[in-house]
Amino acid sequence: MAAAEGREPLLRAGEEEEEQEQQQQQRRRRGRDVVETQEHYKSRWRSIWIMYLTMFLSSVGFSIVIMSVWPYLQKIDPTADASFLGWIIASYSIGQMAASPLFGLWSNYRPRREPLVISTAISVAANCLYAYVHVPHSHNKYYMLTARALVGFGAGNVAVVRSYIAGATSLTERTSAMANTSACQAVGFILGPVFQTCFTLIGEEGITWKSIHLQLNMYTAPVLFGALLGIINIILIFAIFREHRVDDMGRQCNSINCEGEETGVLDQDAEGNIDHVAVVALNFLFFVILFVFAVFETTGERAILHGGLLIVLIGFFILLPWGKKLPNIQWQAIKNNSIPQTTPTEMVMPFWNLQAMQLPSNHSEPAGCPITQSWCLNTPMIYLAQYISSDILIGLGYPVCNVMSYTLYSKILGPKPQGVYMGWLTASGSGARILGPVFVSQIYTHLGPRWAFSLICGVVVISLLVLEIVYKRLIAFSVRFGRMQEERS
């Protein structure tokens, strides 16, 4: 009798726990039944479009002056040489690499509007500084270096943009959204020089306002235009951008980045650990993809990434010197007892020794492979057909790998805050853009295309092996923890 009475409290306690569990499951079911309203859907995608615009303007900020940096640098500071130009070009990526994790961390704990506005304001201020680098009486090249580094620092908001898009899209929306983001970035890189070309009509002298020490010419007008676009972007962020967050199924849920705004009622279950092996592997793969470049919706992103890397590998394999005919040599340099000087253009585009791309014989500049590069005497030339075929393949493979890397990365991270992780991914890409030109200028110049492209092929092969090793781990967070079924293409 006493034993039975002792069991009654235990039974009641067990029944209460079971009832609480049932109530919790009912609350979760009610939360999962929440359907996104049309108003929320429109607001969410308006905010995503603002992120597209931010990505576009970030790319424009990089490319809008890239063609005029060298002549402007020579004009404001004759002491600057081609080596310093390399530092100025690299300073953008260095600034972005440093800023991306910082802005990503900021966006994890505060409304994303804050890092977006501050980073854009830094870019605006940096562009204005660039317009005034002619004013100091000395050390002008260092002011230009600082200005470009700050523009890159402001471009660290790319991590915030991608982390927001990852959190504001469902799995079925994310690949196309990431593709659109990369497309806006690419269009920005393309249109930047176009904008700059339009401003060349102003000329080198342009207009001067002595009262404010401002010269509006072909060198400063593009950055001032970029500053204006940045101000417009800030206004749109304040006027249109709103914090939104949905889970992998597309159900709206509360955002940790909101300040007192109710964005949904879903009790999101974010339990589970991120697969850090997959995260590190994708950081490495993304680094390689950006590195070789510097020199739609199923779960088939892994296969597409694999195919993209294979296309890039074939492209560089084709680019290897396979023939027997040697390139023309710049013998004129020996006759004149002079050493050919490498121009900044040749540092960036090292393939001018192609026979089909040689300058006309009546051109004042020497044509052919420089005799100072000993490999010219025993390395076969690269034919135009090789170069074009390789260019097409690498041009096809790169965007595929880029988009799939970002898409897989965001899906692996799942519902957890992605700002810091996106920051590290962006930083790895910036590091690749810093090391890529250095690799090309050193290895290609001293050892030639056979060594340079063979080493790149080796790096891509290693990347494919890494991808094979972690292939089964590159799955969405929700699929990994059994909340969604993996779709097969």
Side-chain angles (χ1 to χ4, degrees), residues 272-349:
N273 296 320
I274 294 172
D275 189 339
H276 286 90
V277 173
V279 169
V280 172
L282 275 175
N283 269 279
F284 169 75
L285 292 171
F286 187 70
F287 177 92
V288 171
I289 290 163
L290 269 291
F291 179 84
V292 299
F293 179 72
V295 194
F296 257 75
E297 180 49 34
T298 62
T299 55
E301 288 93 353
R302 295 175 297 177
I304 297 174
L305 176 59
H306 196 283
L309 282 171
L310 281 174
I311 291 173
V312 172
L313 176 61
I314 294 171
F316 277 103
F317 188 75
I318 290 174
L319 198 55
L320 291 170
W322 292 106
K324 295 182 179 180
K325 184 177 180 181
L326 298 178
N328 292 339
I329 306 297
Q330 292 181 7
W331 297 110
Q332 188 65 31
I334 295 181
K335 293 179 181 178
N336 296 337
N337 294 320
S338 62
I339 298 175
Q341 298 296 319
T342 303
T343 66
T345 302
E346 290 168 336
M347 290 172 60
V348 179
M349 297 286 291

Side-chain angles (χ1 to χ4, degrees), residues 17 40 77 136 163 248 258 436:
E17 290 179 1
H40 182 275
D77 195 334
S163 66
D248 288 345
C258 291

Side-chain angles (χ1 to χ4, degrees), residues 55 59 93 96-97 100-101 155-156 158-159 162 178-179 181-183 185-186 189 277-295 305-306 308-309 312 397-410 412-413 420-436 456 459-460 462-464 466-467 470 474:
M55 181 67 80
S59 298
S93 295
Q96 188 181 49
M97 183 170 62
S100 296
V158 168
R162 292 196 183 274
M178 288 294 182
T181 306
S182 296
Q185 187 178 34
F189 280 127
V277 173
V279 169
V280 172
L282 275 175
N283 269 279
F284 169 75
L285 292 171
F286 187 70
F287 177 92
V288 171
I289 290 163
L290 269 291
F291 179 84
V292 299
F293 179 72
V295 194
L305 176 59
H306 196 283
L309 282 171
V312 172
Y398 167 73
V400 170
C401 294
N402 185 289
V403 173
M404 292 305 108
S405 295
Y406 272 116
T407 303
L408 279 169
Y409 196 70
S410 65
I412 288 168
L413 295 177
V420 173
Y421 288 100
M422 284 294 179
W424 286 118
L425 189 66
T426 304
S428 68
S430 299
R433 285 193 296 270
I434 295 169
L435 294 178
I456 293 176
V459 171
V460 177
I462 292 173
S463 301
L464 286 167
V466 171
L467 181 57
V470 300
L474 303 182

